[in-house]
Amino acid sequence: MRNRLSQRFGSFTREFPRAFWPVVAVSFIDGIGRTLLFPFFALYVTQRFNVGATQAGLVTGMFSVSGLVGSMVGGALTDRIGRKKLIIIGLVCSALTTLGLGLVNEMRWLYVVALISGLFGELAGPAHQAMIADILPEKQRQEGFGILRVVNNLTWIVGPSIGGLLAGWSFFYLFISDAIISCIVAVLFFFYIAESKPKPSEDQQPESFAKTFAGYGTVLKDLPFLAFILTSILLGMVYIQMYGTLSIFLRDQHNIDPQGFGLLMSTSGITVILFQLWVSRIIKWRPPFLMMTLGAIFYVIGFSLFGLVAAYWLFVGAIIVITIGEMVILPTASALAANFAPESMRGRYMAAFSLVWALPAALGPAAAGFVLDNYDPSLLWLGGGALCAIAAAFYYYLHLRLGQHKKFAASAE
């Protein structure tokens, strides 16, 4: 039995390029550093500076805003100087600014460092995405991004457990640990990860920095890609509520304590770990925009249920339905963004793709808070279901318009 499992695992790993697995491994290590700090950051801010949740939320929002700028700068630099260099620069700068977050003594300086930290924290994001797109052929990207999702969920099991122990001694240990892990990952990238940026053709002239940044104009002229981004932002505005607003709604409307909410989130993570690879293997042969439509329909059902049911087991069911949609949507969306991008502009396209998460993270919680404070809270989830239905309709329209194109058609088995 053990030999059979070993053979299957070996066969599975050999399906992917050898350069892919070192990137997966260092992504796991980097994710542990991120997840041991992030879940405790708001708690640290309120306790360290004696402020309320609103100010802690403002600091988090500043990360998102400056991170968006960092991602756009990083996308252009990824296409200009390469993936590996920018990832290493981003990791080292992120380590320094993370230490700064743990060293500041006044709230006003925390805002400043948060802006800088958000900028450098997202600088290398497009480079990571572009490197995966470089390494994997089109037919494997969807499954490859699914593997990275499993790895990310595993870090959420390991990281917060370590972070909880460290926070019990001192919150500052969280910042030190994250910085050390970032530096370790930078060293691993330097020695073990090869540059993946495609070499320019002999007749291709090198771009100036100005021309590289001006390349975002080409991205904005790609109307099908913009339609995909805007539709995904619409979906993201609803999805982001699961990681903030939902806990408040369940506590205030249904008396579900943080432990109960934590169990719901664990249910989602375990579902991803157990079934993501299986789901990715099934959907990789299907038309991607049709799969996005299917995933959005699962979102319609799952998020609408929050506004319609009251029993805890039904909330568990809603989370599972949403997670099924998530397992379809997230790797497919990343693969689509990579497929849209010309080889020489992958960094800038992946930076534009980061809007799908950055804008909902910056705007979604405030919009949801306005609804919860002024209207029937159930309307937040019923309205969210309606937005997901609109997104599903747009994805299906894109399938009808682009589904015959080689990049967006069903793959041959």
Side-chain angles (χ1 to χ4, degrees):
M1 181 68 175
R2 183 179 297 176
N3 289 336
R4 187 181 301 172
L5 289 174
S6 178
Q7 289 174 357
R8 287 183 178 179
F9 180 75
S11 177
F12 173 74
T13 56
R14 284 192 295 272
E15 291 180 16
F16 294 86
R18 291 182 63 183
F20 174 64
W21 295 110
V23 177
V24 172
V26 295
S27 296
F28 176 72
I29 298 170
D30 190 34
I32 290 175
R34 183 176 61 254
T35 55
L36 70 80
L37 172 60
F38 178 75
F40 303 97
F41 184 71
L43 185 62
Y44 162 76
V45 172
T46 54
Q47 181 174 315
R48 175 72 174 81
F49 298 97
N50 194 30
V51 297
T54 300
Q55 287 173 281
L58 180 59
V59 175
T60 304
M62 293 172 75
F63 277 116
S64 297
V65 173
S66 62
L68 178 58
V69 177
S71 182
M72 291 300 167
V73 173
L77 292 177
T78 295
D79 290 331
R80 173 72 182 181
I81 68 174
R83 289 54 158 145
K84 180 176 177 176
K85 290 179 183 177
L86 191 63
I87 289 172
I88 293 173
I89 292 170
L91 285 166
V92 173
C93 292
S94 179
L96 294 174
T97 56
T98 296
L99 279 178
L101 288 171
L103 289 171
V104 293
N105 295 315
E106 298 181 32
M107 192 68 189
R108 59 177 179 171
W109 289 112
L110 183 66
Y111 289 131
V112 175
V113 179
L115 283 172
I116 299 172
S117 182
L119 182 73
F120 286 111
E122 294 300 323
L123 186 70
H128 280 284
Q129 298 272 348
M131 179 172 278
I132 295 299
D134 295 337
I135 293 171
L136 296 178
E138 284 184 22
K139 66 179 182 179
Q140 288 186 317
R141 285 175 189 159
Q142 198 171 31
E143 196 169 5
F145 282 114
I147 291 170
L148 288 171
R149 287 212 63 241
V150 174
V151 168
N152 180 64
N153 276 270
L154 285 171
T155 64
W156 277 97
I157 294 176
V158 178
S161 300
I162 299 173
L165 292 174
L166 294 174
W169 293 320
S170 170
F171 278 111
F172 186 57
Y173 289 153
L174 297 176
F175 297 96
I176 294 176
S177 299
D178 186 25
I180 291 173
I181 289 173
S182 292
C183 291
I184 291 172
V185 173
V187 171
L188 291 174
F189 254 95
F190 182 80
F191 285 107
Y192 296 107
I193 307 296
E195 175 59 68
S196 66
K197 183 176 181 287
K199 294 182 179 179
S201 59
E202 293 182 0
D203 59 344
Q204 186 176 343
Q205 297 297 320
E207 290 183 333
S208 65
F209 274 104
K211 190 173 182 180
T212 300
F213 281 95
Y216 279 115
T218 302
V219 178
L220 293 174
K221 293 176 183 177
D222 190 340
L223 296 183
F225 179 68
L226 283 185
F228 163 64
I229 292 295
L230 292 174
T231 303
S232 299
I233 288 173
L234 195 65
L235 208 63
M237 290 289 287
V238 182
Y239 178 77
I240 198 69
Q241 308 308 330
M242 197 165 70
Y243 294 97
T245 309
L246 180 59
S247 62
I248 298 172
F249 171 79
L250 293 177
R251 181 196 65 191
D252 295 347
Q253 303 301 317
H254 299 284
N255 297 314
I256 294 176
D257 58 22
Q259 288 76 18
F261 176 72
L263 181 59
L264 289 177
M265 294 295 99
S266 297
T267 300
S268 176
I270 292 170
T271 301
V272 170
I273 292 169
L274 292 177
F275 298 108
Q276 178 68 72
L277 296 181
W278 177 70
V279 170
S280 296
R281 181 139 293 197
I282 291 175
I283 65 175
K284 73 175 182 178
W285 307 114
R286 274 70 180 180
F289 278 115
L290 201 57
M291 291 300 96
M292 294 295 289
T293 304
L294 176 64
I297 291 172
F298 276 106
Y299 278 14
V300 172
I301 298 169
F303 283 108
S304 297
L305 278 173
F306 287 130
L308 297 172
V309 303
Y312 185 81
W313 69 272
L314 289 174
F315 290 130
V316 173
I319 285 288
I320 292 174
V321 170
I322 292 169
T323 303
I324 294 171
E326 177 186 329
M327 289 190 292
V328 174
I329 286 173
L330 297 189
T332 305
S334 295
L336 274 169
N339 290 350
F340 266 111
E343 191 176 78
S344 62
M345 295 189 65
R346 278 188 183 140
R348 282 161 286 188
Y349 267 76
M350 300 314 288
F353 178 62
S354 70
L355 288 170
V356 169
W357 312 116
L359 284 182
L363 303 176
F370 179 80
V371 174
L372 290 180
D373 290 341
N374 295 281
Y375 300 97
D376 181 351
S378 297
L379 292 177
L380 174 65
W381 308 108
L382 297 176
L387 289 178
C388 292
I390 294 171
F394 275 111
Y395 282 135
Y396 187 69
Y397 172 75
L398 289 172
H399 168 69
L400 295 177
R401 290 293 303 271
L402 303 175
Q404 301 305 313
H405 193 284
K406 181 181 177 181
K407 288 185 176 182
F408 311 119
S411 300
E413 296 194 46

